[in-house]
Amino acid sequence: RPLFGYAAALALLLGAILLCPLSLRGFQAGLAGALRRSRLIGARLAVGNFRRGLRRNGVTVAAMAVALAMLVSVSTMIASFRTTVEVWIDQTIRADLYVSRVGRLVKGADVRLPADLLPRIRGVGGVADTDGFRGLRLQDERGGQFLLGAGDFDLMARRGKLLFRRGDSVSILEQARTRGEVVVSETFAERYRVREGDEVTLRPPGRTVRLRVAGVYYDYTTEGGLVVMDDQLFRALWADPWINSIVIYLAPGADPAAVGQAVLAAAGRDDLVLLSNRDLRRRILGIFDQTFAITYALQAIALVVAALAVLTTLAASVLERTREIGILRSLGFARSGLARMVLAEAGFLGVLANAVGIVAGLGLSLILIYVINKQSFGWSIQLTFPGWLIIRYALLTIAVSLVAGAFPAWRASRLPIAEAVRYE
């Protein structure tokens, strides 16, 4: 459990919150110097109001910054995760067609096909290579579960390209095949604290074997981890006559649709589903996008928090400065000038909240990617900086700040002069 990761994220957010008043003071000083000789009277008055409402404005900036930090951090993590998965798909999903029973699409279903189905499919015209994958759920000594998989390492070395943490895919798979070794997923390696060269203990029926780990590869599909061995070794240890799915590599120039129909006909079963390479990629990324669709709600909540913070602060500021506003109006300050003053405050608050929120969000994203995610799932994710997405969030946050400041600005410009001057 990533308890220290959560603690680090909380400490980072608290640090950003506590730095908001100091940041506001420095921001106000910088703006005051930049606008000292400017004719933008409304902007100069807005900057002057910052120091008078330092605590209140600091709380507003903190609320907006935290909302934006959460938005930036989660969006950066998702963008990084999606880019990593796309690279992983390009490297590992290399077969042309994939065949399994329909029930395999249901999580937890035990769907099996007879291994003698492979020779029939190999004999179909247009099929160059086939491989059957077998997966078994095994229990470890602590009562947990992991997946034991088996496939043709020779074919995987020639056709596939697993992403290994260290070493070349071809040499690792050939070594594992000739020496009777296994390869394990990164999730398994992290969970059971094993690395290249260590041994894993497996218990086939009636015996216990210890097999050396030839390599650790990246995988983002299997919960609990995965141990994979060559199918010949698997048959010798388990004597299992089943497979769960079949991958098919086509001969050059073969038509995938025509070969797919011929494969289904040769199989002689009506409970099979056949996916092309493109269909499988689309399905994987579709599931990924559905999984993280909840982040759209997070975006909406973050923007609502930012809008309410600005609206509440500026409404209280206008109410507090009612008499001052009346005096300005009596001295000839136009209503449009008062509106611009309040809107300038809203815009400045949005700009500062963006600066603090983006910096805090990027720091939080590093914790999410390299600490919390690693400890929770054991996955390695390559950081991807979504620059255009963060720019959009920044512009949207400033726009929301201005929209939230519109009502206080309108109210300030509509205050009757006599009543405002008499206000206590």
Side-chain angles (χ1 to χ4, degrees), residues 102 268-272:
V102 176
R269 303 174 62 104
D270 57 4
D271 60 346
L272 299 182

Side-chain angles (χ1 to χ4, degrees), residues 99-121:
V99 180
S100 66
R101 289 179 61 185
V102 176
R104 187 170 173 80
L105 302 178
V106 180
K107 183 177 180 181
D110 181 20
V111 293
R112 294 177 290 177
L113 293 168
D116 59 10
L117 191 61
L118 279 175
R120 278 185 277 165
I121 293 179

Side-chain angles (χ1 to χ4, degrees), residues 66-150:
V66 168
L68 186 61
M70 295 297 293
L71 193 57
V72 168
S73 62
V74 173
S75 298
T76 302
M77 182 194 71
I78 293 174
S80 301
F81 196 6
R82 199 180 197 281
T83 301
T84 302
V85 169
E86 288 177 346
V87 173
W88 171 78
I89 289 175
D90 289 337
Q91 293 292 327
T92 59
I93 309 297
R94 303 176 72 89
D96 298 293
L97 297 174
Y98 297 83
V99 180
S100 66
R101 289 179 61 185
V102 176
R104 187 170 173 80
L105 302 178
V106 180
K107 183 177 180 181
D110 181 20
V111 293
R112 294 177 290 177
L113 293 168
D116 59 10
L117 191 61
L118 279 175
R120 278 185 277 165
I121 293 179
R122 287 195 185 101
V124 173
V127 173
D129 280 315
T130 63
D131 186 20
F133 179 81
R134 178 60 170 143
L136 290 177
R137 280 283 171 191
L138 302 181
Q139 280 197 340
D140 59 26
E141 298 175 350
R142 299 176 293 182
Q145 287 190 339
F146 63 92
L147 186 66
L148 173 67

Side-chain angles (χ1 to χ4, degrees), residues 11-22:
L12 189 147
L13 289 177
L14 288 177
I17 290 171
L18 295 175
L19 282 174
C20 282
L22 181 62

